[in-house]
Amino acid sequence: MEEKIFTFREFQKITYSKNKKIFFKLKKYIKDNNLENDYEFFKITKDVIVPQNFVGTIPLDKFQIEILPKIPLVENNIEAEKIRFLEILQSIDYFKEKIFSNSKIEIIDKSILEIFIHLFIEEVEKIVKKGLIYKYVDKNENLNVFKGKLDINSHIKYNFSHKERFFMKFDEFSVNSLENIIIKLTIQKLKKVSINPKNKENLNKIGHYFENVSILENSIENLKYLTFDRMNSYYKNAIQWSKIFLNNQSSSIFSTNNGEIPSVLFPMETIFENYIANKLVNIIQEKSYCELLFKIQDSSCSIFSSISLNNTKIDNNILRIRPDIVIKNKNTKEIFILDTKWKVLNKLDDKFKISTEDIYQMLAYVKTYNDRNKNNYTCKKAYLIYPATNMRKNTFSAKDKLIFKTDDFELNIYFVDLSSDENTENSLINVLDNFI
């Protein structure tokens, strides 16, 4: 059987010599969607393409390129790793609507994109079972009968010599609701993208129920105005998937739309940061760490207390800092700064592969928070959180911990086990125990 899904990892080299079938098609796709320069998702040389900083799927005609995390979420089991990646996605802000169904998904021979298509199909099947929604839609038509309200200007314009016709404005109870149009557009697009036989078959089946839905102008542009109530709430999950497939872009998900070919890419730095932050929030709430105050992406502090130009004060907001996570202990009056890094460290490297810039960044965070809160709180400790990995003997596991100290600054390096929610929570509880 011909190979249809080509799987690589972040920063793994895709060489022309070993991937002649897909190399130039992938290179063209990257160029067409500015994925090298504008978004830095790829690095291209003459005979090598390197995917970087994202996980996801890129469809290329009859093939799909799948990029998995550079750090295996589950060792030696790609199917289990994909399931784990879906679990992580359920915990990030973008997917807070819980659009992943609880049904078991057959992962074998399915890319991440095909899994998403499968989940979209399941949501549309629920809609079909309940019945398509009908709504009153505004219509403007030239009719032989008087129906609704006469559009005077249009009537004069079009019917000056046609006394038998009336240009009318009226409401019609129609299947052409925005919800149905968006789903039909999504089905049409996915039918051109999917290479999975079962998905293709099911897309054709559900598409049959939307045959009478007419595509209206500016439907995708109007999607942002779509709201949900008790009448159309059962469409919500399907529409969330449609937003992804119809060229949605946000901080935690990026999808391209080269003509009729969408790709779904996840910037892993953002996914990791969001996942860890939300897990910490949940643990603090569930374990009743009442003394801890938690803030994500805190921008309350500027590096300088004042800035002036030629003795004239100017806005000091231009140099605000924004740590990933800030935790305050109300009882001990301490502030702790946490930052996540989607990087692999190395025990054999003289600096453990820790970026000097990252250390300077944490020093700046601690000094700034200490200066701005010196009358109420002290800030002397910072934490860098990395993913744990056991890929090689010289990498770090969740049991490892690094501490760098000066007289008034302490930098702690912790490693989080991402192989399961339980292991991640245990790793983060070890971090939180430092704050109480």
Side-chain angles (χ1 to χ4, degrees):
M1 184 180 291
E2 185 182 22
E3 185 177 9
K4 290 190 174 184
I5 300 176
F6 295 81
T7 302
F8 304 92
R9 291 195 179 274
E10 294 175 280
F11 296 97
Q12 180 181 347
K13 290 182 179 180
I14 303 173
T15 61
Y16 170 70
S17 59
K18 293 182 178 180
N19 301 280
K20 294 179 181 178
K21 185 181 293 186
I22 61 169
F23 188 86
F24 289 111
K25 287 184 178 180
L26 177 59
K27 193 172 184 178
K28 183 179 185 302
Y29 188 93
I30 293 166
K31 297 287 187 182
D32 289 347
N33 288 282
N34 299 315
L35 295 179
E36 179 185 20
N37 299 323
D38 291 359
Y39 303 103
E40 299 181 349
F41 283 159
F42 289 90
K43 185 177 180 180
I44 301 177
T45 59
K46 182 180 179 182
D47 297 318
V48 178
I49 298 172
V50 180
Q52 51 191 14
N53 303 320
F54 81 91
V55 168
T57 309
I58 294 175
L60 300 173
D61 297 332
K62 298 179 181 179
F63 310 107
Q64 290 181 354
I65 310 295
E66 176 148 79
I67 310 299
L68 297 178
K70 61 186 174 185
I71 302 163
L73 302 175
V74 178
E75 295 288 340
N76 304 317
N77 190 329
I78 288 180
E79 280 72 35
E81 184 175 3
K82 290 179 186 178
I83 292 172
R84 176 65 186 134
F85 183 66
L86 294 181
E87 290 175 351
I88 289 174
L89 290 183
Q90 289 187 87
S91 298
I92 70 170
D93 289 340
Y94 187 87
F95 291 105
K96 61 187 177 183
E97 300 293 345
K98 302 299 180 187
I99 61 177
F100 294 96
S101 65
N102 294 322
S103 64
K104 291 184 179 180
I105 306 169
E106 292 182 5
I107 301 296
I108 297 174
D109 296 330
K110 276 194 177 84
S111 64
I112 292 171
L113 176 59
E114 294 291 353
I115 294 169
F116 281 11
I117 293 172
H118 170 87
L119 293 171
F120 166 75
I121 290 169
E122 282 193 340
E123 295 299 335
V124 177
E125 286 174 341
K126 293 176 187 176
I127 291 171
V128 168
K129 187 174 181 180
K130 190 165 184 177
L132 271 59
I133 195 169
Y134 278 66
K135 286 187 175 180
Y136 284 102
V137 295
D138 295 332
K139 300 201 73 173
N140 298 277
E141 288 186 14
N142 213 0
L143 304 174
N144 290 323
V145 295
F146 204 91
K147 180 180 179 181
K149 183 179 179 182
L150 185 67
D151 184 339
I152 301 294
N153 293 331
S154 297
H155 182 67
I156 294 171
K157 180 178 179 180
Y158 294 105
N159 295 330
F160 184 77
S161 58
H162 294 278
K163 305 297 184 182
E164 77 284 359
R165 299 184 68 82
F166 308 93
F167 206 100
M168 307 302 300
K169 288 182 178 180
F170 58 96
D171 294 334
E172 183 175 86
F173 199 54
S174 170
V175 74
N176 296 327
S177 66
L178 182 57
E179 295 93 331
N180 291 331
I181 293 171
I182 293 301
I183 289 175
K184 180 171 182 174
L185 285 169
T186 308
I187 293 170
Q188 289 176 342
K189 178 164 286 190
L190 295 181
K191 284 167 72 172
K192 299 176 182 179
V193 171
S194 177
I195 61 173
N196 181 273
K198 191 66 176 176
N199 278 350
K200 291 173 75 71
E201 178 186 343
N202 288 331
L203 285 168
N204 285 326
K205 284 181 180 178
I206 60 174
H208 171 74
Y209 293 93
F210 293 83
E211 283 183 351
N212 294 327
V213 176
S214 300
I215 306 299
L216 303 181
E217 192 177 356
N218 299 322
S219 294
I220 295 179
E221 290 79 2
N222 291 331
L223 178 55
K224 60 187 174 183
Y225 302 115
L226 182 60
T227 58
F228 295 94
D229 53 31
R230 63 183 182 84
M231 299 297 293
N232 68 346
S233 60
Y234 64 105
Y235 273 77
K236 193 171 187 179
N237 286 351
I239 296 297
Q240 283 293 95
W241 283 116
S242 291
K243 287 179 179 179
I244 293 171
F245 295 124
L246 298 177
N247 199 20
N248 180 79
Q249 296 180 24
S250 75
S251 62
S252 56
I253 185 170
F254 178 97
S255 57
T256 66
N257 184 14
N258 180 18
E260 292 294 332
I261 307 177
S263 63
V264 180
L265 312 176
F266 297 91
M268 278 307 297
E269 289 182 3
T270 305
I271 297 295
F272 182 58
E273 171 195 321
N274 206 300
Y275 176 62
I276 295 301
N278 286 336
K279 276 294 174 188
L280 281 169
V281 170
N282 292 339
I283 293 169
I284 288 173
Q285 292 173 348
E286 291 173 5
K287 303 292 183 182
S288 298
Y289 290 96
C290 301
E291 65 270 48
L292 298 182
L293 300 174
F294 193 101
K295 196 159 187 182
I296 300 173
Q297 293 290 321
D298 182 35
S299 59
S300 62
C301 292
S302 296
I303 294 178
F304 300 102
S305 56
S306 67
I307 303 173
S308 62
L309 173 63
N310 299 328
N311 296 320
T312 301
K313 282 192 173 184
I314 60 176
D315 188 2
N316 67 341
N317 286 334
I318 59 174
L319 290 173
R320 284 192 178 275
I321 58 175
R322 190 186 293 268
D324 290 344
I325 303 157
V326 175
I327 295 179
K328 292 182 179 181
N329 187 312
K330 295 183 292 184
N331 296 340
T332 63
K333 300 298 181 183
E334 291 178 282
I335 295 176
F336 306 96
I337 308 296
L338 290 77
D339 233 47
T340 59
K341 302 295 177 185
W342 181 249
K343 298 178 180 179
V344 179
L345 300 189
N346 190 320
K347 287 182 178 179
L348 300 184
D349 186 82
D350 57 354
K351 292 191 298 184
F352 306 107
K353 288 283 186 183
I354 299 173
S355 164
T356 304
E357 284 186 6
D358 291 342
I359 295 175
Y360 289 160
Q361 180 188 47
M362 301 310 284
L363 278 165
Y365 285 166
V366 166
K367 175 168 174 48
T368 301
Y369 273 82
N370 203 44
D371 289 349
R372 300 295 162 263
N373 295 274
K374 58 188 174 184
N375 294 328
N376 301 308
Y377 285 84
T378 59
C379 182
K380 294 186 177 182
K381 294 182 180 181
Y383 293 77
L384 285 174
I385 299 177
Y386 293 84
T389 173
N390 299 311
M391 288 188 295
R392 297 177 298 271
K393 290 182 180 179
N394 56 339
T395 56
F396 291 85
S397 73
K399 296 178 182 179
D400 292 312
K401 180 171 69 172
L402 283 169
I403 302 177
F404 301 87
K405 286 186 178 181
T406 67
D407 291 340
D408 55 1
F409 173 69
E410 181 178 303
L411 176 61
N412 297 267
I413 312 293
Y414 275 78
F415 302 89
V416 175
D417 185 345
L418 297 174
S419 61
S420 69
D421 271 346
E422 182 181 358
N423 289 340
T424 300
E425 288 173 7
N426 289 335
S427 297
L428 293 177
I429 287 171
N430 290 336
V431 178
L432 286 172
D433 285 343
N434 293 279
F435 309 149
I436 56 177

